[in-house]
Amino acid sequence: MKRRAVLAGVLLLAGCATGPSLENRGAVTAPPGDSRHLTVGSAGFTESDLLAQMYALLLKQAGYRTSMLTVANRELYEPALESGQIDVVPEYAATFADWLNAKTRGPDAPPVGSPDLTATMKALRSLATPRGLIVLDPGRAVDQNAFAVTGRYARQHRLKNLSDLGASGLKVRLAAGDECVKRPYCEPGLKKTYGIDITAVDPKGVGTTQAKQAVQSGRDQMVLTTTTDATLGEFGLVLLADDKHLQNADYIVPVVNRSRAGSENVTKALGALNGVLTTADLASMNRQVDSWRRLPEDVARAYLKEKGLLK
């Protein structure tokens, strides 16, 4: 029987305090655990809900009882993962690597996430292992920052990727978050890596409706969004390929508590997604939930059945 709950912050923090301290976990020597009842965590947004539902369904088919737990804050759910209140959670490789790095080495530590997936995974695993966590292999799906223009603009100027935009010499007003002016993956990176002439950053947020409308109307020429944005088509927008790999390797990875879900059975069950799930698949499922108002569990189940991963 599956149950879904939203964990209160006070309860979660109290529970996490009972887990072993990081100082006592320098050497992880106990054999990986294989609890038969696993709690799957979600960060509470559509994509995380979809991934968590797919994890739960695959684990259930592999013989596990599963519970769902939504904690919409990494500062809360990561300690719960360490303590065993949550056994598995979907994460993003580069983002989670940088988050653990800052937690371990301080907020001013140089980032370890990068566009290089191999280097990012190595850094992530070195940070996760002492905390009793196992980072499973990434698949094909990635949710990273991306840039979109209108389809008409792309056709008019023959743009397929960001290099094309840089070579065009076009002046570009960019709809994005206000932090874009300093972030290396945003305005500075677009200028340095691609030679794009960013004349201004219109601070309308990352992938917000207002930002997309600004590009749709012609006020701005490009918007910062994500590769799994489900609503670009509604605004007549298309992504320009990041052909020089400016963005970090935010491939989707399952992270598990080693003492409870570190077995080969769990790894095999969740690894079934690796050869199937794509970035486009995620965008399609996000659209079904956000635009068509379907339930994440229904969308997840239909997808797994369609791909032959669920009976």
Side-chain angles (χ1 to χ4, degrees):
M1 181 177 178
K2 186 177 294 181
R3 58 185 172 83
R4 184 177 180 90
V6 178
L7 192 62
V10 173
L11 175 61
L12 182 58
L13 287 172
C16 291
T18 64
S21 67
L22 181 59
E23 290 75 11
N24 295 331
R25 280 182 268 142
V28 181
T29 56
D34 193 25
S35 174
R36 305 314 296 175
H37 185 173
L38 299 176
T39 299
V40 181
S42 166
F45 57 94
T46 296
E47 188 168 286
S48 187
D49 284 346
L50 283 163
L51 290 163
Q53 291 287 356
M54 285 190 284
Y55 291 178
L57 289 165
L58 290 170
L59 289 168
K60 184 176 181 181
Q61 180 169 260
Y64 296 90
R65 290 187 299 123
T66 60
S67 302
M68 297 289 293
L69 196 58
T70 298
V71 187
N73 185 311
R74 188 177 278 113
E75 284 76 8
L76 294 179
Y77 74 66
E78 189 278 331
L81 186 61
E82 288 189 37
S83 70
Q85 285 183 293
I86 294 174
D87 301 307
V88 56
V89 69
E91 262 293 356
Y92 301 88
T95 295
F96 196 44
D98 284 338
W99 193 87
L100 286 180
N101 187 49
K103 182 177 180 179
T104 302
R105 298 167 181 153
D108 296 325
V112 295
S114 75
D116 185 330
L117 178 59
T118 300
T120 295
M121 288 297 296
K122 182 179 179 180
L124 173 54
R125 284 170 166 155
S126 72
L127 290 160
T129 298
R131 296 181 176 276
L133 306 179
I134 296 177
V135 182
L136 303 186
D137 289 341
R140 301 158 61 191
V142 58
D143 185 353
Q144 58 193 173
N145 293 305
F147 297 91
V149 298
T150 65
R152 180 180 179 182
Y153 186 84
R155 291 189 298 273
Q156 180 183 358
H157 299 289
R158 299 182 180 180
L159 307 177
K160 293 184 178 180
N161 52 49
L162 292 170
S163 287
D164 291 340
L165 182 56
S168 73
L170 292 165
K171 295 185 181 300
V172 176
R173 181 177 165 95
L174 175 64
D178 54 9
E179 71 278 4
C180 177
V181 296
K182 296 181 179 179
R183 294 285 173 88
Y185 66 79
C186 205
E187 181 183 356
L190 291 173
K191 289 181 175 179
K192 181 178 180 180
T193 302
Y194 289 107
I196 297 173
D197 186 3
I198 305 294
T199 60
V201 172
D202 189 3
K204 284 184 163 50
V206 179
T208 62
T209 297
Q210 293 78 9
K212 293 170 191 171
Q213 287 174 337
V215 177
Q216 183 184 39
S217 70
R219 171 185 169 86
D220 300 333
Q221 287 71 52
M222 188 163 68
V223 60
L224 170 62
T225 182
T226 66
T227 52
T228 60
D229 191 320
T231 63
L232 290 177
E234 297 174 17
F235 298 89
L237 304 178
V238 295
L239 293 178
L240 295 181
D242 179 22
D243 54 303
K244 292 184 179 179
H245 307 292
L246 172 64
Q247 301 305 320
N248 280 349
D250 259 331
Y251 284 75
I252 291 159
V253 290
V255 182
V256 303
N257 178 289
R258 185 179 190 275
S259 66
R260 290 182 49 81
S263 71
E264 285 296 325
N265 292 331
V266 170
T267 298
K268 182 178 179 180
L270 298 180
L273 272 177
N274 284 3
V276 175
L277 185 65
T278 67
T279 304
D281 290 344
L282 266 182
S284 174
M285 286 189 280
N286 285 337
R287 184 181 304 111
Q288 291 177 55
V289 175
D290 292 337
S291 298
W292 303 356
R293 302 304 179 190
R294 295 185 62 192
L295 294 176
E297 183 175 3
D298 293 341
V299 174
R301 178 178 285 106
Y303 176 79
L304 293 177
K305 285 185 176 181
E306 176 192 343
K307 298 299 181 179
L309 299 182
L310 199 65
K311 297 177 181 177

